[in-house]
Amino acid sequence: MAASSVDNKFALVAEGGLQVLIDLALSQDEGVRGYAIEGISELLTIKSIQNEFVEIGGVSTLMFTLHSSDQHIVKESLMAICQLCQENEDVMINVLGENGMDDLCHVINTCKLDCVRLVAGIFLDVSFSDTLRVELLNNRKHVVVFERMIKSKDVVTQQLSLQTLEMLALSNPTHVTKHPSITNALISCIMSTSDVQVKTIAAKLLVYFAEDDETIGEVIKDEGNLREVLLILVTNQDNIMQSVAAKIIHAMVVNNRDLLMDDATMDLVETLRINAVDQEAWMLSDKILMMKNQ
């Protein structure tokens, strides 16, 4: 009946069916739980039923079912959570709740790709909330989950996780830069991906760390991989990537002027100057060369 007409859905809720489904979703029988979650997901396609579902505490039931060993149940629960979270900050507060982030991170660590993508999408929705986005990276366990998503072999997961971090950085760079270990994931991502959007966002995020005096050391720590990343960006005929490379190199030489005498670094600058496709990258590379000659 939950999957039938809108009128039937309202009739089911009016007869207390929503509470019954919530109770059945906690059944010890995985089959019963699965059917109950499917029914809940169908009912939540209607906005007014969503509100009632939240009011009677249904969100906590959905979060509990994320720990099911049945991937179908987890996926159905996540789809219901996605419906609830769309442009509704009050529901997001309920979703994150006391242990909500831990519940969602559990899915990332234990479930299959389709579930991971859904969680990454929920994180992106949360990142648009001024009050809730800080919860996304509020402890080391959550940071590790984002690092894992950034290094995922799935492009969609990478895109969603990087877009989420970009939203955090745009609102306040320190939300991201206070976790310098993320730089390793960003460098690894740029080196391994062939997706232009993923590479561009990862590179733009790397700039925040390069321009922060407290985190520039983490950026340049893995010198070999960083130079490979910079060469990828410098030789890419994309103005954003070249501009990002120029900003990173500039931050590096400002932080350590000895690099102005480093042949490998200056070769990168010359390559950038020669291959620059827009004025900003060319001007920054020229500025670095002028610093060397001063």
Side-chain angles (χ1 to χ4, degrees), residues 143-257:
V143 174
V144 169
V145 164
F146 269 90
E147 291 171 358
R148 179 173 179 174
M149 289 193 293
I150 293 169
K151 293 190 287 187
S152 169
K153 293 182 180 179
D154 176 56
V155 171
V156 175
T157 300
Q158 287 182 309
Q159 289 174 344
L160 292 170
S161 58
L162 288 167
Q163 287 168 356
T164 299
L165 292 181
E166 186 175 32
M167 281 297 302
L168 290 174
L170 287 171
S171 67
N172 186 339
T174 59
H175 288 333
V176 177
T177 57
K178 66 181 178 182
H179 306 291
S181 63
I182 292 175
T183 59
N184 297 324
L186 294 173
I187 290 172
S188 174
C189 174
I190 295 169
M191 290 173 61
S192 62
T193 186
S194 59
D195 184 82
V196 174
Q197 183 184 24
V198 167
K199 192 173 296 185
T200 301
I201 300 176
K204 288 164 68 177
L205 285 167
L206 201 56
V207 172
Y208 287 103
F209 292 95
E211 293 184 336
D212 188 314
D213 290 340
E214 295 184 5
T215 57
I216 178 65
E218 192 70 25
V219 175
I220 64 177
K221 184 169 67 175
D222 189 352
E223 183 177 334
N225 284 337
L226 178 61
R227 289 189 187 280
E228 184 174 339
V229 164
L230 290 172
L231 185 60
I232 291 171
L233 300 179
V234 163
T235 56
N236 193 299
Q237 295 299 300
D238 179 275
N239 63 317
I240 295 177
M241 292 192 197
Q242 288 187 349
S243 175
V244 163
K247 289 177 181 178
I248 293 174
I249 298 171
H250 182 259
M252 288 167 58
V253 298
V254 168
N255 178 262
N256 180 9
R257 295 186 70 90

Side-chain angles (χ1 to χ4, degrees), residues 1-287:
M1 187 175 180
S4 57
S5 71
V6 172
D7 288 342
N8 284 340
K9 290 176 181 177
F10 279 122
L12 179 62
V13 172
E15 294 296 323
L18 186 57
Q19 183 63 62
V20 171
L21 288 172
I22 291 173
D23 293 340
L24 290 174
L26 299 174
S27 168
Q28 295 298 313
D29 186 309
E30 291 282 356
V32 172
R33 290 169 69 184
Y35 284 122
I37 295 297
E38 287 180 10
I40 290 171
S41 188
E42 282 289 339
L43 291 174
L44 293 183
T45 58
I46 299 174
K47 185 71 175 177
S48 59
I49 296 179
Q50 291 181 13
N51 295 335
E52 182 172 346
F53 180 80
V54 173
E55 288 173 5
I56 62 177
V59 173
S60 61
T61 297
L62 289 179
M63 302 308 289
F64 175 80
T65 59
L66 296 182
H67 293 269
S68 171
S69 59
D70 187 324
Q71 294 285 298
H72 176 68
I73 290 176
V74 175
K75 183 177 179 179
E76 287 291 334
S77 298
L78 287 170
M79 291 173 66
I81 292 169
C82 287
Q83 288 180 328
L84 290 169
C85 282
Q86 289 178 357
E87 301 179 5
N88 193 328
E89 187 167 308
D90 290 337
V91 174
M92 289 181 191
I93 292 172
N94 276 276
V95 168
L96 295 184
E98 189 173 334
N99 299 302
M101 272 299 296
D102 291 341
D103 294 330
L104 293 169
C105 287
H106 171 78
V107 174
I108 298 289
N109 290 327
T110 62
C111 293
K112 294 180 180 178
L113 179 59
D114 51 355
C115 292
V116 171
R117 286 180 173 181
L118 287 169
V119 173
I122 292 170
F123 286 161
L124 181 58
D125 285 339
V126 172
S127 74
F128 284 88
S129 166
D130 291 338
T131 56
L132 294 178
R133 62 171 65 103
V134 294
E135 300 295 324
L136 292 170
L137 297 176
N138 68 357
N139 68 44
R140 179 60 189 159
K141 182 164 60 175
H142 302 164
V143 174
V144 169
V145 164
F146 269 90
E147 291 171 358
R148 179 173 179 174
M149 289 193 293
I150 293 169
K151 293 190 287 187
S152 169
K153 293 182 180 179
D154 176 56
V155 171
V156 175
T157 300
Q158 287 182 309
Q159 289 174 344
L160 292 170
S161 58
L162 288 167
Q163 287 168 356
T164 299
L165 292 181
E166 186 175 32
M167 281 297 302
L168 290 174
L170 287 171
S171 67
N172 186 339
T174 59
H175 288 333
V176 177
T177 57
K178 66 181 178 182
H179 306 291
S181 63
I182 292 175
T183 59
N184 297 324
L186 294 173
I187 290 172
S188 174
C189 174
I190 295 169
M191 290 173 61
S192 62
T193 186
S194 59
D195 184 82
V196 174
Q197 183 184 24
V198 167
K199 192 173 296 185
T200 301
I201 300 176
K204 288 164 68 177
L205 285 167
L206 201 56
V207 172
Y208 287 103
F209 292 95
E211 293 184 336
D212 188 314
D213 290 340
E214 295 184 5
T215 57
I216 178 65
E218 192 70 25
V219 175
I220 64 177
K221 184 169 67 175
D222 189 352
E223 183 177 334
N225 284 337
L226 178 61
R227 289 189 187 280
E228 184 174 339
V229 164
L230 290 172
L231 185 60
I232 291 171
L233 300 179
V234 163
T235 56
N236 193 299
Q237 295 299 300
D238 179 275
N239 63 317
I240 295 177
M241 292 192 197
Q242 288 187 349
S243 175
V244 163
K247 289 177 181 178
I248 293 174
I249 298 171
H250 182 259
M252 288 167 58
V253 298
V254 168
N255 178 262
N256 180 9
R257 295 186 70 90
D258 289 344
L259 289 175
L260 293 169
M261 298 297 111
D262 177 66
D263 290 340
T265 302
M266 290 300 104
D267 285 346
L268 279 172
V269 177
E270 287 284 5
T271 302
L272 175 60
R273 191 168 183 270
I274 293 169
N275 289 280
V277 294
D278 80 334
Q279 188 175 14
E280 183 180 22
W282 187 91
M283 289 180 66
L284 265 177
S285 59
D286 191 57
K287 180 179 180 181

